[in-house]
Amino acid sequence: MTVAFAGERGAFGELATIEYFGEKVKSAALPEFGDVFRGVARGRYGFGVIPIENSLAGSIHENYDLLLESNLHIVGEVLLRIRHFLIANKGVSRRQIRRVFSHPAAFAQCKKFLKRFPNLTVVPVSNTAWAVKKIRNESFGDAAAIASQQAAADFDMRVLARNIEDTKWNTTRFLVVSKTSRFPSPAEKRIKSSIVFSTKDIPGALFKCMSVFALRDINLYKIESRPVHGRGFQYLFYLDFAGDARSEAQRNAINHLQEITTFYRFLGSYQVDKPRDPVYHRR
């Protein structure tokens, strides 16, 4: 079994993969999020690990869309504390830095730090660890990257500043996706389910959809709206709620919901994770 994630070794996706599957997991680093979804959907990889939202920067809309398009199932989640480091080539000092490379989400999570250096030019790239690899491979003497401590160690780079994220509670939620659905053990006390649906174009439609859960005392964790591509201002709603979709109250709520929606799809039931700090690995 191989688990796919987006980026390079040392990427936060790899750290989330290790946290969920263990240090002995066989993983594959792919260039883009879409590559992960397609690889799992085509059976090349057993699982994929992708970020879906961050406590500072918000949702990663691309992955919500890819989740629906790929027809994959959510089988787990990882809540990973994100610690950002300013990383440069050895021998390069902070005074020499004129450019900073990283993923746009990392820039959004380090706004306060970057405001202290208004003359720095931020250069968005597809992945934080790839940013470290780029400045190393091209021997930049005026550039740094924002990435993990693991990426700094893996590429043998110098750390110029530590923990530069805006808050120590900076956390990214990763989803573990699979081609086949898997339900958690009934013994698990904290279970979450995810669905996606669209409403009828009538007054109070969304309120009616939410009420099927309120009537059964089911807690809602999150609702995310995404436009339906090619259909103007029509929307899909992604919903996370408490409990296993097979349980009586949840099952009845879903049956009721399907009676008043135009589209419905079950995404998965899985164990709720607690925020955790990534373990630094010497390798």
Side-chain angles (χ1 to χ4, degrees), residues 150-161:
Q150 189 68 56
D154 286 346
F155 291 104
D156 194 26
M157 302 287 276
R158 181 185 182 187
V159 173
L160 299 179

Side-chain angles (χ1 to χ4, degrees), residues 49-61:
V49 176
I50 54 99
I52 198 68
E53 61 178 319
N54 175 265
S55 59
L56 292 179
S59 298
I60 302 174
H61 296 136

